[in-house]
Each structure stands twice: as structure tokens, then as C-alpha cells.
Amino acid sequence: MYTKRLIVGNWKMNPVTLAQAKRDFSAIKKAAVQYKNVEAAIAAPFVFVPELGKLAGAALSLAAQNVSSEKEGAFTGEVSAAMLAPLKVRYAVVGHSERRAMGETNSQIAGKIKQLLAKNIAPILCVGETERDSGMWYLSAVKTQLEECLAGVPKSALGRIVVAYEPVWAISTTENRRDATPEDCAEMRLYIKKTLSDMYGARAAEGVRVLYGGSVDEKNAVGFLVGGGADGLLPGRASLSPKKFEAILKIAHAVNR
Ligand code: PGA
């Protein structure tokens, strides 16, 4: 059973240079040492993974932002879980809305999860609706994502999965974005837990951390963690500033259960 909240910075396609990536990662790691109630990770672009893996440790772990759904072979441009595993990659984000927008399907995401579990890398499965509607169909959209992406995951492996709820309409780069509220987060967290409980039983569902992501910063983090009940956060833009990311870690440390 998890105890610490998990804060994962999603750097997306940033920064431009390896030198900057190493500087930022080191600065965050130095800060993270102080916040022992929190687990911190940075999801970095593939090209930085080998070097950042050398810096990663207990205070700050390394995550990939994607992985191939295939084991090996003729898949130009892809990176396999077996390639990531020896590079100290502890987590990998899968099913991010920006990749789903490029055409990634639930069944491909299910393949990625299978590959990651086989190599002992914990998947961070992103789910989230593109719009909210008064008929609450957004709940069933997320349910379908969970059911289809977790299709091959046995109950015994569920505890290794992290779910990140990221309403696409609240992500910082979405056009005409709106702020999600702690209540939005709390409602969906409960619904995700209920769906997992229906799929795997209440005990197994209890062990799954549900993170919140979508314009998380040092100002709203406390609301999502306390009112929203999030088991962690997945900030994108704010994670590009070591200072802002540190502020989020500090808050998560302070509000720990
Ligand atoms: P954001 O990104 O914090 O910049 O909205 C979050 C994400 O897309 O993972």
C-alpha cells in the first residue's frame, strides 16, 4: 500500500539542451531531498534519459514519457521497455492526451502497459475526458479508457499502476482551457476508484494512486491534494521551473496524510 504522494513533472518536449536538463534535474533533486514525505519524479524526453538516469536516485526518480507497445523489432522511431529498464527509469507515462491526439489508441496503450510491467517499470496511465457535459457522459469516457487500457493487467499487477486523471480541457496548452476545481478532481478520483473496484475488487483498487494533472501549479496544488483528495500531481508547465516544482513538492510534503 502506498503512503507517500507522488509528484511527477512532465517536461514534455523540453528543455532544448541536455545541459539544461541536467541542471534542472539536479536542482530539483537537491530540493527534493528535504521533502521526505513525498515521492518525486521527472518525466523526461528519451534523449535525456541515459544521462538523467545517472543523476536519479531515492530523492528524485526518472520517468519516460512514452514507450513502444511492441517488444522489439522493425518499429522505426520506437523505444522499448527493455531499452529503458537498465537506465534507471522507474515510471513511464502512457496514454497522455497529447499522444492520444496523435492517434494513440486504448489498445496500443494496453500494449505499452504490458511491456512496461514485464520490465518492472511502473506505468502512469493518463485518462481524462476532452469535454464535460451535463449528461455526465464524461464519466463513461474515462471508464472506457480504464477498461480498455487495463485489459491485460492482472489483479496481482494492479498495485504497480498509477492512474493520472488529466481533464484535457484543463491542460495549460488546450485552447480556451478552463480551470478544473478540487471538486472535479474529487468526483473523478472516486469514480476511477469505483471503476477499478468493479474491475478488480475494492482491496486491489485501494492500492492504486490517482494523480491529478492539468495546469497544476504552486497556487492550486494544495486544493487538488486536500479538497481533491489526489494521491499526487502531474504538473507540466510548472515542472519546467525548478523553483515552482520545488514549491509543489513542499506543499505536498506539508499536507501529507
Ligand atoms: P500542464 O500539463 O500542467 O502544463 O497543464 C499537464 C500535462 O499535460 O501533463
Side-chain angles (χ1 to χ4, degrees):
M1 184 64 184
Y2 59 85
T3 49
K4 295 180 179 184
R5 285 196 167 96
L6 173 62
I7 311 293
V8 185
N10 179 8
W11 279 359
K12 307 192 180 184
M13 201 167 71
N14 301 290
V16 174
T17 65
L18 172 62
Q20 186 68 48
K22 284 167 77 173
R23 265 200 303 278
D24 290 350
F25 194 92
S26 300
I28 292 169
K29 183 180 161 187
K30 200 170 154 210
V33 174
Q34 308 163 66
Y35 307 119
K36 302 219 181 303
N37 291 340
V38 181
E39 196 185 334
I42 290 293
F46 283 139
V47 284
F48 301 150
V49 162
E51 286 297 311
L52 297 184
K54 293 178 194 164
L55 302 172
L60 183 61
S61 20
L62 181 60
Q65 297 177 6
N66 187 22
V67 70
S68 175
S69 54
E70 303 293 335
K71 193 171 171 201
E72 62 182 326
F75 302 100
T76 303
E78 293 290 283
V79 173
S80 73
M83 293 168 183
L84 296 174
L87 302 174
K88 293 244 279 235
V89 172
R90 184 147 179 208
Y91 296 97
V93 175
V94 291
H96 191 279
S97 58
E98 286 153 14
R99 298 213 59 85
R100 290 179 187 266
M102 293 175 211
E104 196 164 294
T105 64
N106 288 335
S107 96
Q108 284 169 332
I109 296 163
K112 291 168 191 244
I113 291 177
K114 183 177 160 211
Q115 298 300 334
L116 290 171
L117 290 175
K119 291 293 161 196
N120 245 328
I121 298 172
I124 300 174
L125 167 62
C126 296
V127 296
E129 75 283 4
T130 46
E131 262 311 322
R132 287 232 162 176
D133 58 294
S134 52
M136 295 178 97
W137 284 104
Y138 61 89
L139 293 175
S140 53
V142 169
K143 182 177 181 193
T144 303
Q145 289 176 338
L146 288 168
E147 287 175 347
E148 295 185 3
C149 295
L150 296 175
V153 176
K155 188 173 178 171
S156 59
L158 189 69
R160 289 152 66 198
I161 306 274
V162 176
V163 175
Y165 170 52
E166 296 211 307
V168 181
W169 48 269
I171 289 178
S172 66
T173 47
T174 298
E175 218 179 306
N176 301 322
R177 64 164 300 284
R178 291 185 291 117
D179 282 334
T181 63
E183 292 71 33
D184 294 329
C185 171
E187 175 198 63
M188 189 57 90
R189 180 180 178 277
L190 206 65
Y191 186 76
I192 289 170
K193 289 277 188 180
K194 153 103 176 66
T195 304
L196 295 175
S197 169
D198 291 346
M199 292 168 71
Y200 292 98
R203 276 280 291 282
E206 230 172 77
V208 178
R209 284 182 282 197
V210 180
L211 316 186
Y212 171 79
S215 301
V216 169
D217 60 23
E218 69 286 7
K219 294 184 205 86
N220 60 24
V222 70
F224 290 117
L225 290 170
V226 178
D231 306 300
L233 301 167
L234 184 55
R237 183 177 286 175
S239 73
L240 296 176
S241 151
K243 280 216 155 26
K244 286 187 180 177
F245 193 72
E246 180 188 348
I248 295 170
L249 293 180
K250 191 174 178 180
I251 289 162
H253 172 82
V255 302
N256 203 53
R257 307 169 171 93

